[in-house]
Amino acid sequence: MILALVAAGLASAGSANTVSVQAVAETAPVGTANDDAADDPAIWRNARRPADSLILATDKKAGLYVYGLDGKARSFVPAGRLNNVDLIDLGASGVFAVASDRNDPAKAVLRIYRLDTRSGTLKEIGSAPGGAGEAYGVCLMQSGRSLYAFSVLKHGAVHQVWINLSGRTAAGRIVRSLSVATQAEGCVADPRTRQLYVGEEARGIWAFDARPNAGTQGKLVAQVDSRHLFADVEGLALLPVGRKGGWLLASSQGDNAYSLYRLPDMAPAGRFRIAAGKLGATEETDGIALAGGSFGSSYPVGLLVVQDGDNAPDAQNFKLVSWQDVMRALAEASAR
C-alpha cells in the first residue's frame, strides 16, 4: 500500500518535500580513525533467513568489511585503498563481490572476491584491469550469461569490463570505454533495461546504454539544480519494481540529503534526510546501497545502507534505514 501511494503521488515532488527519517541500526566504526575512510556499501539479502543478510563496506584507507545486520563486523580483508564495492548473487554459482582498488592512482584494478555467506568471509579469487587512472566507483550487471563490471575513474572515464569467472582464477578485460567530462564516482546498472547510471559529481546523473556493443553517447537524465539534487552527486542505488519501474536514489551530498527518482522516466519523486534519533544523523554521505524485500521485522520491505561522513566522536561508519520508513514519510508528505 505504501509503495502504491508513493508511486501515485510523488512523481513531481521536489525539494519542498524533503522529509526526515531515522536510522534503525549502524555498523561498528571502520578501523581508520580521524580520517575520511568509510566509503561504500553493498547488500547481500539472505532470502531464506533475511535477518542473516550481510553488508559489505569499504574502509578506503585499509580494506573491506563484512557486517551482519546487527552492525557487528563478521570479517575484514586488509587490502589497502579499496574505494567502492558491489556484489552480485549468481545463485548456485555463488555470490561475488568486486571492489575498486586505488592503491596505484595511475592504474585502476578491480579486485574480485567470492563471499562465503555462511561464515561472512571473503576470498579473493582474481582481478581485472580497471583502466588507466585512479579507481573510484564500481558497479556490476549480469546480461545473459555474461557478467560486467563498470570501472569509474576519478577523472571521468568509465570502462566496461567483462568478468570471466569460468577458470580457477577470475579475470577480465575492458570491452568498451565511456566518459563524462569531470570527476565521477557513483554508478548503478539496471539489467532489466540495460541502462547504466553514472554520477558526475558537479553536474548530475548520466544514463548510458549498458550493452557492450552499444554506442558511447550518454544522456544527462538528472541535473544538479540545487533544488532536488545538490553537488556533489555521490552514491547511486536502484530498487527495481516490475519490468521497468522502481526507484533510483542518489546521495545529494551538498545538502546532506538523498534524492529519489521514479523509473523509468527519472521523474523527481521526493527527498529525505536521515535525522538524529536513537542514533546520530548522517552527513556528507558517499556511498549508498538499497535492496528490496524483507530483511526481518525491522526492515519489512527493504533495506537502505548509507555511509555516514560524521560519526564523531567515533570513526566513520554506515547507517541502516528501513525503506518502509522512507516510503511512509514521502507518502505522508505527498498527501499533505
Side-chain angles (χ1 to χ4, degrees):
M1 180 64 176
I2 293 173
L3 292 173
L5 283 171
V6 174
L10 294 182
S12 61
S15 60
N17 280 327
T18 305
V19 300
S20 293
V21 297
Q22 297 177 359
V24 174
E26 64 182 346
T27 68
V30 298
T32 302
N34 303 315
D35 204 346
D36 178 22
D39 198 272
D40 189 51
I43 300 168
W44 174 73
R45 178 175 176 266
N46 187 329
R48 293 184 178 181
R49 297 181 300 278
D52 292 335
S53 300
L54 299 170
I55 299 165
L56 276 59
T58 59
D59 177 335
K60 63 186 177 186
K61 311 293 184 181
L64 182 59
Y65 283 93
V66 180
Y67 296 100
L69 296 190
D70 59 2
K72 296 179 180 179
R74 299 281 297 276
S75 64
F76 177 70
V77 176
R81 291 160 56 87
L82 299 186
N83 203 62
N84 278 198
V85 64
D86 198 10
L87 65 77
I88 191 165
D89 189 334
L90 297 180
S93 297
V95 180
F96 299 89
V98 176
S100 57
D101 181 337
R102 61 191 286 202
N103 282 292
D104 182 348
K107 183 181 179 182
V109 175
L110 300 180
R111 299 290 173 192
I112 306 169
Y113 299 88
R114 182 186 290 272
L115 173 64
D116 184 326
T117 57
R118 291 187 177 183
S119 66
T121 58
L122 290 161
K123 178 181 179 181
E124 185 171 359
I125 58 173
S127 64
E134 186 172 358
Y136 251 40
V138 68
C139 52
L140 301 176
M141 184 187 77
Q142 185 179 14
S143 180
R145 296 183 178 181
S146 296
L147 176 63
Y148 297 99
F150 295 92
S151 173
V152 181
L153 305 187
K154 184 176 182 179
H155 63 267
V158 181
H159 299 293
Q160 185 166 359
V161 183
W162 173 64
I163 302 294
N164 183 0
L165 300 173
S166 63
R168 295 183 61 182
T169 301
R173 58 182 173 85
I174 295 172
V175 296
R176 188 172 65 132
S177 297
L178 316 166
S179 68
V180 296
T182 62
Q183 185 167 313
E185 182 172 5
C187 72
V188 67
D190 189 341
R192 304 169 305 165
T193 58
R194 291 179 172 83
Q195 290 286 294
L196 169 69
Y197 299 94
V198 177
E200 184 180 3
E201 295 188 1
R203 192 171 178 193
I205 302 169
W206 291 84
F208 294 88
D209 190 325
R211 293 173 296 180
N213 59 350
T216 59
Q217 187 68 35
K219 179 181 179 182
L220 188 63
V221 293
Q223 191 166 353
V224 168
D225 57 5
S226 298
R227 181 177 180 271
H228 189 74
L229 185 62
F230 289 70
D232 288 344
V233 179
E234 291 286 342
L236 300 181
L238 188 145
L239 180 59
V241 178
R243 293 179 62 188
K244 295 183 178 180
W247 315 100
L248 187 142
L249 183 67
S251 169
S252 179
Q253 192 183 73
D255 71 330
N256 297 323
Y258 308 88
S259 302
L260 187 66
Y261 297 88
R262 185 186 66 192
L263 294 172
D265 61 359
M266 285 293 291
R271 312 179 78 249
F272 63 94
R273 293 188 176 91
I274 300 171
K278 69 174 184 179
L279 302 172
T282 61
E283 295 88 16
E284 299 181 1
T285 292
D286 286 324
I288 60 176
L290 175 60
S294 172
F295 285 80
S297 59
S298 295
Y299 315 96
V301 302
L303 170 65
L304 170 65
V305 180
V306 308
Q307 183 260 6
D308 186 3
D310 185 1
N311 191 45
D314 297 315
Q316 294 177 343
N317 71 349
F318 299 85
K319 300 292 195 289
L320 283 64
V321 177
S322 169
W323 191 243
Q324 178 173 269
D325 291 348
V326 174
M327 294 286 95
R328 181 181 287 120
L330 291 172
E332 290 174 353
S334 178
R336 287 198 292 266

mmCIF file with all atom_site columns, all heavy atoms in Angstrom, residues 281-304:
data_model
loop_
_atom_site.group_PDB
_atom_site.id
_atom_site.type_symbol
_atom_site.label_atom_id
_atom_site.label_alt_id
_atom_site.label_comp_id
_atom_site.label_asym_id
_atom_site.label_entity_id
_atom_site.label_seq_id
_atom_site.pdbx_PDB_ins_code
_atom_site.Cartn_x
_atom_site.Cartn_y
_atom_site.Cartn_z
_atom_site.occupancy
_atom_site.B_iso_or_equiv
_atom_site.pdbx_formal_charge
_atom_site.auth_seq_id
_atom_site.auth_comp_id
_atom_site.auth_asym_id
_atom_site.auth_atom_id
_atom_site.pdbx_PDB_model_num
ATOM 1   N N   . ALA A 1 281 ? 22.497 11.519 13.151 1.00 0.00 ? 281 ALA A N   1
ATOM 2   C CA  . ALA A 1 281 ? 22.134 11.837 11.776 1.00 0.00 ? 281 ALA A CA  1
ATOM 3   C C   . ALA A 1 281 ? 23.267 11.413 10.844 1.00 0.00 ? 281 ALA A C   1
ATOM 4   O O   . ALA A 1 281 ? 24.354 11.023 11.288 1.00 0.00 ? 281 ALA A O   1
ATOM 5   C CB  . ALA A 1 281 ? 21.873 13.337 11.645 1.00 0.00 ? 281 ALA A CB  1
ATOM 6   N N   . THR A 1 282 ? 23.010 11.488 9.551  1.00 0.00 ? 282 THR A N   1
ATOM 7   C CA  . THR A 1 282 ? 24.071 11.239 8.572  1.00 0.00 ? 282 THR A CA  1
ATOM 8   C C   . THR A 1 282 ? 24.414 12.529 7.859  1.00 0.00 ? 282 THR A C   1
ATOM 9   O O   . THR A 1 282 ? 23.538 13.331 7.542  1.00 0.00 ? 282 THR A O   1
ATOM 10  C CB  . THR A 1 282 ? 23.671 10.176 7.536  1.00 0.00 ? 282 THR A CB  1
ATOM 11  O OG1 . THR A 1 282 ? 22.529 10.627 6.809  1.00 0.00 ? 282 THR A OG1 1
ATOM 12  C CG2 . THR A 1 282 ? 23.346 8.862  8.227  1.00 0.00 ? 282 THR A CG2 1
ATOM 13  N N   . GLU A 1 283 ? 25.698 12.720 7.605  1.00 0.00 ? 283 GLU A N   1
ATOM 14  C CA  . GLU A 1 283 ? 26.181 13.888 6.879  1.00 0.00 ? 283 GLU A CA  1
ATOM 15  C C   . GLU A 1 283 ? 27.221 13.461 5.861  1.00 0.00 ? 283 GLU A C   1
ATOM 16  O O   . GLU A 1 283 ? 27.913 12.469 6.037  1.00 0.00 ? 283 GLU A O   1
ATOM 17  C CB  . GLU A 1 283 ? 26.816 14.913 7.836  1.00 0.00 ? 283 GLU A CB  1
ATOM 18  C CG  . GLU A 1 283 ? 25.859 15.548 8.828  1.00 0.00 ? 283 GLU A CG  1
ATOM 19  C CD  . GLU A 1 283 ? 25.709 14.762 10.107 1.00 0.00 ? 283 GLU A CD  1
ATOM 20  O OE1 . GLU A 1 283 ? 26.562 13.890 10.374 1.00 0.00 ? 283 GLU A OE1 1
ATOM 21  O OE2 . GLU A 1 283 ? 24.728 15.005 10.840 1.00 0.00 ? 283 GLU A OE2 1
ATOM 22  N N   . GLU A 1 284 ? 27.298 14.249 4.774  1.00 0.00 ? 284 GLU A N   1
ATOM 23  C CA  . GLU A 1 284 ? 28.340 14.086 3.761  1.00 0.00 ? 284 GLU A CA  1
ATOM 24  C C   . GLU A 1 284 ? 28.445 12.644 3.265  1.00 0.00 ? 284 GLU A C   1
ATOM 25  O O   . GLU A 1 284 ? 29.536 12.088 3.126  1.00 0.00 ? 284 GLU A O   1
ATOM 26  C CB  . GLU A 1 284 ? 29.682 14.573 4.308  1.00 0.00 ? 284 GLU A CB  1
ATOM 27  C CG  . GLU A 1 284 ? 29.659 16.054 4.695  1.00 0.00 ? 284 GLU A CG  1
ATOM 28  C CD  . GLU A 1 284 ? 30.994 16.546 5.215  1.00 0.00 ? 284 GLU A CD  1
ATOM 29  O OE1 . GLU A 1 284 ? 31.948 15.741 5.264  1.00 0.00 ? 284 GLU A OE1 1
ATOM 30  O OE2 . GLU A 1 284 ? 31.089 17.730 5.575  1.00 0.00 ? 284 GLU A OE2 1
ATOM 31  N N   . THR A 1 285 ? 27.288 12.057 2.958  1.00 0.00 ? 285 THR A N   1
ATOM 32  C CA  . THR A 1 285 ? 27.268 10.653 2.555  1.00 0.00 ? 285 THR A CA  1
ATOM 33  C C   . THR A 1 285 ? 27.955 10.441 1.218  1.00 0.00 ? 285 THR A C   1
ATOM 34  O O   . THR A 1 285 ? 27.663 11.136 0.245  1.00 0.00 ? 285 THR A O   1
ATOM 35  C CB  . THR A 1 285 ? 25.827 10.137 2.495  1.00 0.00 ? 285 THR A CB  1
ATOM 36  O OG1 . THR A 1 285 ? 25.286 10.098 3.816  1.00 0.00 ? 285 THR A OG1 1
ATOM 37  C CG2 . THR A 1 285 ? 25.763 8.737  1.885  1.00 0.00 ? 285 THR A CG2 1
ATOM 38  N N   . ASP A 1 286 ? 28.822 9.455  1.169  1.00 0.00 ? 286 ASP A N   1
ATOM 39  C CA  . ASP A 1 286 ? 29.438 8.999  -0.077 1.00 0.00 ? 286 ASP A CA  1
ATOM 40  C C   . ASP A 1 286 ? 28.582 7.877  -0.670 1.00 0.00 ? 286 ASP A C   1
ATOM 41  O O   . ASP A 1 286 ? 27.633 8.103  -1.370 1.00 0.00 ? 286 ASP A O   1
ATOM 42  C CB  . ASP A 1 286 ? 30.877 8.546  0.173  1.00 0.00 ? 286 ASP A CB  1
ATOM 43  C CG  . ASP A 1 286 ? 31.822 9.705  0.402  1.00 0.00 ? 286 ASP A CG  1
ATOM 44  O OD1 . ASP A 1 286 ? 31.646 10.754 -0.233 1.00 0.00 ? 286 ASP A OD1 1
ATOM 45  O OD2 . ASP A 1 286 ? 32.749 9.570  1.222  1.00 0.00 ? 286 ASP A OD2 1
ATOM 46  N N   . GLY A 1 287 ? 28.934 6.631  -0.389 1.00 0.00 ? 287 GLY A N   1
ATOM 47  C CA  . GLY A 1 287 ? 28.252 5.508  -0.999 1.00 0.00 ? 287 GLY A CA  1
ATOM 48  C C   . GLY A 1 287 ? 26.952 5.133  -0.311 1.00 0.00 ? 287 GLY A C   1
ATOM 49  O O   . GLY A 1 287 ? 26.775 5.339  0.896  1.00 0.00 ? 287 GLY A O   1
ATOM 50  N N   . ILE A 1 288 ? 26.025 4.558  -1.103 1.00 0.00 ? 288 ILE A N   1
ATOM 51  C CA  . ILE A 1 288 ? 24.756 4.064  -0.593 1.00 0.00 ? 288 ILE A CA  1
ATOM 52  C C   . ILE A 1 288 ? 24.463 2.716  -1.253 1.00 0.00 ? 288 ILE A C   1
ATOM 53  O O   . ILE A 1 288 ? 24.979 2.409  -2.324 1.00 0.00 ? 288 ILE A O   1
ATOM 54  C CB  . ILE A 1 288 ? 23.592 5.039  -0.867 1.00 0.00 ? 288 ILE A CB  1
ATOM 55  C CG1 . ILE A 1 288 ? 23.416 5.273  -2.375 1.00 0.00 ? 288 ILE A CG1 1
ATOM 56  C CG2 . ILE A 1 288 ? 23.818 6.365  -0.143 1.00 0.00 ? 288 ILE A CG2 1
ATOM 57  C CD1 . ILE A 1 288 ? 22.227 6.157  -2.733 1.00 0.00 ? 288 ILE A CD1 1
ATOM 58  N N   . ALA A 1 289 ? 23.606 1.919  -0.607 1.00 0.00 ? 289 ALA A N   1
ATOM 59  C CA  . ALA A 1 289 ? 23.124 0.667  -1.183 1.00 0.00 ? 289 ALA A CA  1
ATOM 60  C C   . ALA A 1 289 ? 21.674 0.493  -0.774 1.00 0.00 ? 289 ALA A C   1
ATOM 61  O O   . ALA A 1 289 ? 21.284 0.853  0.346  1.00 0.00 ? 289 ALA A O   1
ATOM 62  C CB  . ALA A 1 289 ? 23.964 -0.516 -0.712 1.00 0.00 ? 289 ALA A CB  1
ATOM 63  N N   . LEU A 1 290 ? 20.867 -0.067 -1.662 1.00 0.00 ? 290 LEU A N   1
ATOM 64  C CA  . LEU A 1 290 ? 19.433 -0.227 -1.435 1.00 0.00 ? 290 LEU A CA  1
ATOM 65  C C   . LEU A 1 290 ? 19.006 -1.575 -1.993 1.00 0.00 ? 290 LEU A C   1
ATOM 66  O O   . LEU A 1 290 ? 19.345 -1.915 -3.123 1.00 0.00 ? 290 LEU A O   1
ATOM 67  C CB  . LEU A 1 290 ? 18.669 0.911  -2.124 1.00 0.00 ? 290 LEU A CB  1
ATOM 68  C CG  . LEU A 1 290 ? 17.144 0.878  -2.111 1.00 0.00 ? 290 LEU A CG  1
ATOM 69  C CD1 . LEU A 1 290 ? 16.598 0.899  -0.691 1.00 0.00 ? 290 LEU A CD1 1
ATOM 70  C CD2 . LEU A 1 290 ? 16.594 2.062  -2.911 1.00 0.00 ? 290 LEU A CD2 1
ATOM 71  N N   . ALA A 1 291 ? 18.252 -2.338 -1.204 1.00 0.00 ? 291 ALA A N   1
ATOM 72  C CA  . ALA A 1 291 ? 17.756 -3.639 -1.658 1.00 0.00 ? 291 ALA A CA  1
ATOM 73  C C   . ALA A 1 291 ? 16.337 -3.830 -1.151 1.00 0.00 ? 291 ALA A C   1
ATOM 74  O O   . ALA A 1 291 ? 16.021 -3.502 0.005  1.00 0.00 ? 291 ALA A O   1
ATOM 75  C CB  . ALA A 1 291 ? 18.654 -4.764 -1.156 1.00 0.00 ? 291 ALA A CB  1
ATOM 76  N N   . GLY A 1 292 ? 15.465 -4.353 -2.017 1.00 0.00 ? 292 GLY A N   1
ATOM 77  C CA  . GLY A 1 292 ? 14.091 -4.601 -1.649 1.00 0.00 ? 292 GLY A CA  1
ATOM 78  C C   . GLY A 1 292 ? 13.895 -5.983 -1.053 1.00 0.00 ? 292 GLY A C   1
ATOM 79  O O   . GLY A 1 292 ? 14.801 -6.823 -1.033 1.00 0.00 ? 292 GLY A O   1
ATOM 80  N N   . GLY A 1 293 ? 12.678 -6.231 -0.565 1.00 0.00 ? 293 GLY A N   1
ATOM 81  C CA  . GLY A 1 293 ? 12.357 -7.496 0.087  1.00 0.00 ? 293 GLY A CA  1
ATOM 82  C C   . GLY A 1 293 ? 12.513 -7.385 1.586  1.00 0.00 ? 293 GLY A C   1
ATOM 83  O O   . GLY A 1 293 ? 13.033 -6.402 2.121  1.00 0.00 ? 293 GLY A O   1
ATOM 84  N N   . SER A 1 294 ? 12.059 -8.401 2.277  1.00 0.00 ? 294 SER A N   1
ATOM 85  C CA  . SER A 1 294 ? 12.152 -8.404 3.733  1.00 0.00 ? 294 SER A CA  1
ATOM 86  C C   . SER A 1 294 ? 13.569 -8.693 4.196  1.00 0.00 ? 294 SER A C   1
ATOM 87  O O   . SER A 1 294 ? 14.235 -9.607 3.694  1.00 0.00 ? 294 SER A O   1
ATOM 88  C CB  . SER A 1 294 ? 11.205 -9.454 4.315  1.00 0.00 ? 294 SER A CB  1
ATOM 89  O OG  . SER A 1 294 ? 11.412 -9.593 5.711  1.00 0.00 ? 294 SER A OG  1
ATOM 90  N N   . PHE A 1 295 ? 14.005 -7.917 5.181  1.00 0.00 ? 295 PHE A N   1
ATOM 91  C CA  . PHE A 1 295 ? 15.249 -8.168 5.889  1.00 0.00 ? 295 PHE A CA  1
ATOM 92  C C   . PHE A 1 295 ? 14.958 -8.394 7.374  1.00 0.00 ? 295 PHE A C   1
ATOM 93  O O   . PHE A 1 295 ? 15.766 -8.063 8.235  1.00 0.00 ? 295 PHE A O   1
ATOM 94  C CB  . PHE A 1 295 ? 16.210 -6.997 5.719  1.00 0.00 ? 295 PHE A CB  1
ATOM 95  C CG  . PHE A 1 295 ? 16.856 -6.928 4.358  1.00 0.00 ? 295 PHE A CG  1
ATOM 96  C CD1 . PHE A 1 295 ? 16.175 -6.409 3.279  1.00 0.00 ? 295 PHE A CD1 1
ATOM 97  C CD2 . PHE A 1 295 ? 18.136 -7.411 4.159  1.00 0.00 ? 295 PHE A CD2 1
ATOM 98  C CE1 . PHE A 1 295 ? 16.757 -6.348 2.016  1.00 0.00 ? 295 PHE A CE1 1
ATOM 99  C CE2 . PHE A 1 295 ? 18.734 -7.360 2.905  1.00 0.00 ? 295 PHE A CE2 1
ATOM 100 C CZ  . PHE A 1 295 ? 18.040 -6.834 1.830  1.00 0.00 ? 295 PHE A CZ  1
ATOM 101 N N   . GLY A 1 296 ? 13.787 -8.929 7.677  1.00 0.00 ? 296 GLY A N   1
ATOM 102 C CA  . GLY A 1 296 ? 13.374 -9.114 9.053  1.00 0.00 ? 296 GLY A CA  1
ATOM 103 C C   . GLY A 1 296 ? 12.400 -8.025 9.482  1.00 0.00 ? 296 GLY A C   1
ATOM 104 O O   . GLY A 1 296 ? 12.040 -7.132 8.721  1.00 0.00 ? 296 GLY A O   1
ATOM 105 N N   . SER A 1 297 ? 11.951 -8.113 10.715 1.00 0.00 ? 297 SER A N   1
ATOM 106 C CA  . SER A 1 297 ? 10.886 -7.231 11.195 1.00 0.00 ? 297 SER A CA  1
ATOM 107 C C   . SER A 1 297 ? 11.264 -5.754 11.193 1.00 0.00 ? 297 SER A C   1
ATOM 108 O O   . SER A 1 297 ? 10.395 -4.892 11.057 1.00 0.00 ? 297 SER A O   1
ATOM 109 C CB  . SER A 1 297 ? 10.474 -7.647 12.611 1.00 0.00 ? 297 SER A CB  1
ATOM 110 O OG  . SER A 1 297 ? 11.581 -7.587 13.497 1.00 0.00 ? 297 SER A OG  1
ATOM 111 N N   . SER A 1 298 ? 12.530 -5.436 11.304 1.00 0.00 ? 298 SER A N   1
ATOM 112 C CA  . SER A 1 298 ? 12.949 -4.028 11.308 1.00 0.00 ? 298 SER A CA  1
ATOM 113 C C   . SER A 1 298 ? 12.998 -3.422 9.915  1.00 0.00 ? 298 SER A C   1
ATOM 114 O O   . SER A 1 298 ? 12.986 -2.201 9.769  1.00 0.00 ? 298 SER A O   1
ATOM 115 C CB  . SER A 1 298 ? 14.327 -3.885 11.960 1.00 0.00 ? 298 SER A CB  1
ATOM 116 O OG  . SER A 1 298 ? 14.286 -4.244 13.317 1.00 0.00 ? 298 SER A OG  1
ATOM 117 N N   . TYR A 1 299 ? 13.034 -4.281 8.899  1.00 0.00 ? 299 TYR A N   1
ATOM 118 C CA  . TYR A 1 299 ? 13.155 -3.827 7.507  1.00 0.00 ? 299 TYR A CA  1
ATOM 119 C C   . TYR A 1 299 ? 12.187 -4.656 6.639  1.00 0.00 ? 299 TYR A C   1
ATOM 120 O O   . TYR A 1 299 ? 12.621 -5.461 5.806  1.00 0.00 ? 299 TYR A O   1
ATOM 121 C CB  . TYR A 1 299 ? 14.590 -3.975 6.997  1.00 0.00 ? 299 TYR A CB  1
ATOM 122 C CG  . TYR A 1 299 ? 15.642 -3.481 7.970  1.00 0.00 ? 299 TYR A CG  1
ATOM 123 C CD1 . TYR A 1 299 ? 16.300 -4.369 8.830  1.00 0.00 ? 299 TYR A CD1 1
ATOM 124 C CD2 . TYR A 1 299 ? 15.955 -2.129 8.053  1.00 0.00 ? 299 TYR A CD2 1
ATOM 125 C CE1 . TYR A 1 299 ? 17.249 -3.924 9.725  1.00 0.00 ? 299 TYR A CE1 1
ATOM 126 C CE2 . TYR A 1 299 ? 16.912 -1.671 8.953  1.00 0.00 ? 299 TYR A CE2 1
ATOM 127 C CZ  . TYR A 1 299 ? 17.553 -2.575 9.793  1.00 0.00 ? 299 TYR A CZ  1
ATOM 128 O OH  . TYR A 1 299 ? 18.493 -2.125 10.686 1.00 0.00 ? 299 TYR A OH  1
ATOM 129 N N   . PRO A 1 300 ? 10.881 -4.470 6.804  1.00 0.00 ? 300 PRO A N   1
ATOM 130 C CA  . PRO A 1 300 ? 9.916  -5.391 6.186  1.00 0.00 ? 300 PRO A CA  1
ATOM 131 C C   . PRO A 1 300 ? 9.814  -5.305 4.673  1.00 0.00 ? 300 PRO A C   1
ATOM 132 O O   . PRO A 1 300 ? 9.420  -6.284 4.038  1.00 0.00 ? 300 PRO A O   1
ATOM 133 C CB  . PRO A 1 300 ? 8.592  -5.018 6.846  1.00 0.00 ? 300 PRO A CB  1
ATOM 134 C CG  . PRO A 1 300 ? 8.779  -3.603 7.303  1.00 0.00 ? 300 PRO A CG  1
ATOM 135 C CD  . PRO A 1 300 ? 10.219 -3.491 7.689  1.00 0.00 ? 300 PRO A CD  1
ATOM 136 N N   . VAL A 1 301 ? 10.154 -4.160 4.055  1.00 0.00 ? 301 VAL A N   1
ATOM 137 C CA  . VAL A 1 301 ? 10.025 -4.049 2.599  1.00 0.00 ? 301 VAL A CA  1
ATOM 138 C C   . VAL A 1 301 ? 11.338 -3.687 1.915  1.00 0.00 ? 301 VAL A C   1
ATOM 139 O O   . VAL A 1 301 ? 11.380 -3.574 0.692  1.00 0.00 ? 301 VAL A O   1
ATOM 140 C CB  . VAL A 1 301 ? 8.940  -3.023 2.198  1.00 0.00 ? 301 VAL A CB  1
ATOM 141 C CG1 . VAL A 1 301 ? 7.603  -3.396 2.770  1.00 0.00 ? 301 VAL A CG1 1
ATOM 142 C CG2 . VAL A 1 301 ? 9.330  -1.604 2.572  1.00 0.00 ? 301 VAL A CG2 1
ATOM 143 N N   . GLY A 1 302 ? 12.394 -3.508 2.674  1.00 0.00 ? 302 GLY A N   1
ATOM 144 C CA  . GLY A 1 302 ? 13.669 -3.174 2.065  1.00 0.00 ? 302 GLY A CA  1
ATOM 145 C C   . GLY A 1 302 ? 14.624 -2.536 3.046  1.00 0.00 ? 302 GLY A C   1
ATOM 146 O O   . GLY A 1 302 ? 14.232 -2.061 4.123  1.00 0.00 ? 302 GLY A O   1
ATOM 147 N N   . LEU A 1 303 ? 15.897 -2.517 2.655  1.00 0.00 ? 303 LEU A N   1
ATOM 148 C CA  . LEU A 1 303 ? 16.974 -2.001 3.491  1.00 0.00 ? 303 LEU A CA  1
ATOM 149 C C   . LEU A 1 303 ? 17.790 -0.990 2.709  1.00 0.00 ? 303 LEU A C   1
ATOM 150 O O   . LEU A 1 303 ? 18.206 -1.252 1.579  1.00 0.00 ? 303 LEU A O   1
ATOM 151 C CB  . LEU A 1 303 ? 17.872 -3.161 3.941  1.00 0.00 ? 303 LEU A CB  1
ATOM 152 C CG  . LEU A 1 303 ? 19.189 -2.792 4.642  1.00 0.00 ? 303 LEU A CG  1
ATOM 153 C CD1 . LEU A 1 303 ? 18.916 -2.108 5.978  1.00 0.00 ? 303 LEU A CD1 1
ATOM 154 C CD2 . LEU A 1 303 ? 20.043 -4.052 4.845  1.00 0.00 ? 303 LEU A CD2 1
ATOM 155 N N   . LEU A 1 304 ? 18.026 0.153  3.338  1.00 0.00 ? 304 LEU A N   1
ATOM 156 C CA  . LEU A 1 304 ? 18.916 1.183  2.814  1.00 0.00 ? 304 LEU A CA  1
ATOM 157 C C   . LEU A 1 304 ? 20.118 1.290  3.740  1.00 0.00 ? 304 LEU A C   1
ATOM 158 O O   . LEU A 1 304 ? 19.958 1.409  4.963  1.00 0.00 ? 304 LEU A O   1
ATOM 159 C CB  . LEU A 1 304 ? 18.192 2.530  2.738  1.00 0.00 ? 304 LEU A CB  1
ATOM 160 C CG  . LEU A 1 304 ? 19.042 3.761  2.427  1.00 0.00 ? 304 LEU A CG  1
ATOM 161 C CD1 . LEU A 1 304 ? 19.634 3.686  1.027  1.00 0.00 ? 304 LEU A CD1 1
ATOM 162 C CD2 . LEU A 1 304 ? 18.217 5.047  2.589  1.00 0.00 ? 304 LEU A CD2 1
#
